[in-house]
Amino acid sequence: MVKVVKFGGSSLASADQFKKVGKIIKAEDSRRYVVPSAPGKRDSKDTKVTDMLYKCYGEAKEGKNFDKTLKAIKERYNEIIKGLGLKLSLEEQFKEIKKNFEDLAGEDYAASRGEFLNAIIMSNYLGYEFIDAASVICFDKEGNFDGEKTNDVLSKKLAKVERAVIPGFYGAYPNGKIKTFSRGGSDVTGSIVARAVSADVYENWTDVSGFLVADPRIIKNPEAINVITYRELRELSYMGASVLHESATFPVRKAGIPINIKNTNAPEDKGTLIVETTCNKPDSTITGIAGKKGFVSISIDKDMMNSEIGFGRKVLQVFEDNGISFEHMPSGIDTMTVFVHQDEFVEKEQKVLAELRRATEPDSIELESDLALIAVVGRGMKNAVGVSAKVIKALADARINIKMIDQGSSELNIIIGVRNRYFEDAIRAIYNAFISEEK
Ligand code: ASP
């Protein structure tokens, strides 16, 4: 059995957190490959080391003296080293970093040092080999991640290494220059490493016990999700539920490796298992609820629209020409509605309306702003009778008007549009109907 374990910033924010992580790793012999993030926040007022590095490099770029900021970063690491009682000095590394900042080695280089240094500490603490991600995580000349080349290089390298620490978040261009993933990218590195060693599971350790059925800021103590499929996860993350980096599922999914989200502060909790497919039935008909505010609906009415071939294309062309992506498109016989993000739409509003009029010669166009979309997601919905009815009844009982309802033919989700101001109440009503009452 081989496990790849990735630890997020809050799991590595202090020596005490490092000790918890060390315990977790040593508890199972199979935890052979470790991917650390940079030290995160120790409390809500603290600053992540990655953000300190961006700030420090910003000062260097402006030609300002950045000694103070770099010193504060060094102190974060030294505090961890001291707390762990290690005989390790990062003096040399900090000298080199200072020089490279003066030479303006790049923002990505700067940010990557957070993971680089933390991995050095981690490898020293565990007695595992340190492998610089720059030598095994490959980007092409254009800066796109090269998955196949990486898998080739990395799997060959790790075949010869029994236990290793590989810093998350970055890799390098073919010429060796450092390139990072987007923020939160250590999740992606963990997934890449898991694929390269054909891990049995990719454990992603964070500060929550997995995914919750709904946002805890809206629902008090929501239920946890024990098992979720990649497709369900994608629907929920797209609608705003965030625990994992968006791109983190791709490498492991390709290789059929499950991801287990675990809590460093409560390692005995089962967390959430993310799998390709499962016959494990969710406790309730639905797996999760998520949503986003801030949409506009543009409804175009035209008599006999149903018989006008190409009408839909003309409408969507206008949005495409204006660089606006659409979210949903419910339609009736003589009406078509397009949901778009309000912030993408507002500044182009009049231009889009004029172009729509020209392209489609409608009877009328109506706009409605400040709408929210809520996704009710669940593999258990397929072939279940009355799911939409239950959603509609829950909202009716809560006296919430539904602006739109849309069920994909995959029967994996139902999307509901309501006014922004009813967003939280609508989520509560649906949660109660499905989770609280089905229990
Ligand atoms: N340290 C990076 C960030 O703060 C990457 C990560 O933690 O995954 O975004």
Side-chain angles (χ1 to χ4, degrees):
M1 177 106 159
V2 181
K3 287 185 178 178
V4 170
V5 287
K6 179 259 163 177
F7 291 89
S10 58
S11 300
L12 300 167
S14 65
D16 280 346
Q17 288 298 89
F18 254 80
K19 286 179 191 164
K20 287 186 198 166
V21 166
K23 237 194 198 153
I24 290 167
I25 295 170
K26 297 285 166 158
E28 279 189 32
D29 200 46
S30 56
R31 293 185 174 131
R32 286 169 42 195
Y33 301 101
V34 182
V35 176
S37 282
K41 294 182 181 191
R42 289 162 292 189
D43 54 61
S44 58
K45 286 185 210 81
D46 204 9
T47 310
K48 286 174 152 201
V49 164
T50 309
D51 291 317
M52 296 168 88
L53 284 160
Y54 279 124
K55 175 171 177 254
C56 189
Y57 189 72
E59 291 165 354
K61 232 165 81 181
E62 284 172 26
K64 290 186 186 153
N65 183 310
F66 58 87
D67 287 348
K68 202 170 146 223
T69 316
L70 195 62
K71 190 166 165 248
I73 296 168
K74 194 156 122 188
E75 272 162 15
R76 292 271 331 242
Y77 288 102
N78 282 342
E79 194 185 292
I80 295 172
I81 293 173
K82 194 165 158 237
L84 294 175
L86 299 176
K87 278 195 203 63
L88 173 71
S89 161
L90 296 176
E91 272 316 308
E92 282 307 308
Q93 283 85 351
F94 269 98
K95 250 188 226 154
E96 194 182 323
I97 290 170
K98 180 162 195 259
K99 174 159 188 317
N100 287 333
F101 273 36
E102 282 161 357
D103 294 345
L104 301 182
E107 195 163 56
D108 281 12
Y109 165 80
S112 75
R113 294 307 88 184
E115 274 63 17
F116 174 78
L117 296 167
N118 227 19
I120 293 178
I121 299 180
M122 179 66 90
S123 82
N124 193 281
Y125 181 51
L126 295 172
Y128 285 17
E129 185 170 326
F130 169 83
I131 297 176
D132 189 355
S135 65
V136 285
I137 305 286
C138 314
F139 287 82
D140 66 18
K141 271 199 231 129
E142 280 74 44
N144 301 309
F145 170 62
D146 188 340
E148 295 317 307
K149 184 173 168 203
T150 298
N151 196 49
D152 207 39
V153 173
L154 191 57
S155 55
K156 278 193 190 116
K157 171 83 189 167
L158 295 181
K160 290 179 262 157
V161 184
E162 182 67 20
R163 289 168 196 281
V165 178
I166 304 129
F169 190 37
Y170 71 93
Y173 289 96
N175 65 5
K177 191 174 155 59
I178 298 290
K179 165 94 182 108
T180 62
F181 291 109
S182 57
R183 294 298 304 266
S186 299
D187 283 342
V188 185
T189 311
S191 181
I192 294 165
V193 175
R195 178 185 170 206
V197 298
S198 301
D200 295 278
V201 59
Y202 165 30
E203 287 182 345
N204 188 296
W205 292 81
T206 173
D207 51 9
V208 289
S209 292
F211 286 95
L212 302 170
V213 171
D215 189 334
R217 286 166 300 187
I218 300 174
I219 307 284
K220 230 181 170 180
N221 294 324
E223 299 276 312
I225 301 175
N226 298 329
V227 183
I228 186 170
T229 65
Y230 284 116
R231 288 188 60 202
E232 289 174 311
L233 177 68
R234 173 111 179 87
E235 299 279 349
L236 287 173
S237 330
Y238 183 70
M239 281 306 236
S242 66
V243 172
L244 201 63
H245 189 288
E246 251 202 341
S247 309
T249 54
F250 298 117
V252 276
R253 195 174 169 182
K254 230 181 209 171
I257 301 165
I259 305 177
N260 197 180
I261 308 285
K262 298 274 288 175
N263 188 349
T264 300
N265 305 317
E268 57 298 328
D269 286 359
K270 273 172 57 193
T272 300
L273 194 65
I274 311 165
V275 296
E276 179 66 42
T277 145
T278 173
C279 58
N280 170 301
K281 289 224 169 53
D283 298 336
S284 143
T285 323
I286 63 167
T287 305
I289 312 163
K292 279 192 214 166
K293 288 184 183 174
F295 292 92
V296 179
S297 69
I298 303 112
S299 299
I300 305 143
D301 279 329
K302 185 176 185 184
D303 269 350
M304 303 301 286
M305 176 193 290
N306 63 327
S307 56
E308 191 177 324
I309 292 173
F311 192 90
R313 181 186 49 75
K314 285 181 210 157
V315 169
L316 294 184
Q317 189 70 51
V318 171
F319 288 97
E320 185 178 337
D321 292 346
N322 283 281
I324 299 171
S325 65
F326 75 95
E327 287 294 306
H328 283 281
M329 201 179 52
S331 50
I333 306 175
D334 289 334
T335 176
M336 187 173 155
T337 304
V338 182
F339 275 76
V340 297
H341 287 271
Q342 199 153 327
D343 53 359
E344 280 181 31
F345 178 72
V346 274
E347 66 210 51
K348 297 175 185 158
E349 179 189 81
Q350 292 308 315
K351 184 164 174 278
V352 171
L353 292 180
E355 287 175 29
L356 280 174
R357 278 185 202 290
R358 236 175 289 136
T360 64
E361 299 174 350
D363 295 334
S364 68
I365 299 183
E366 271 180 42
L367 296 184
E368 182 151 5
S369 61
D370 301 319
L371 297 175
L373 292 175
I374 297 169
V376 182
V377 176
R379 60 189 182 279
M381 280 173 9
K382 200 169 174 117
N383 302 323
V385 174
V387 183
S388 304
K390 202 162 169 175
V391 172
I392 292 168
K393 181 169 184 309
L395 295 176
D397 289 348
R399 317 252 357 115
I400 296 170
N401 179 36
I402 300 176
K403 306 296 294 181
M404 177 210 79
I405 180 156
D406 189 0
Q407 181 187 296
S409 55
S410 62
E411 290 188 68
L412 189 70
N413 63 0
I414 296 172
I415 309 281
I416 299 120
V418 298
R419 292 218 168 80
N420 272 351
R421 64 172 183 276
Y422 296 133
F423 177 70
E424 286 84 5
D425 283 344
I427 290 186
R428 276 182 216 117
I430 299 167
Y431 184 89
N432 289 338
F434 283 92
I435 311 295
S436 310
E437 284 169 25
E438 277 186 16
K439 258 178 97 183

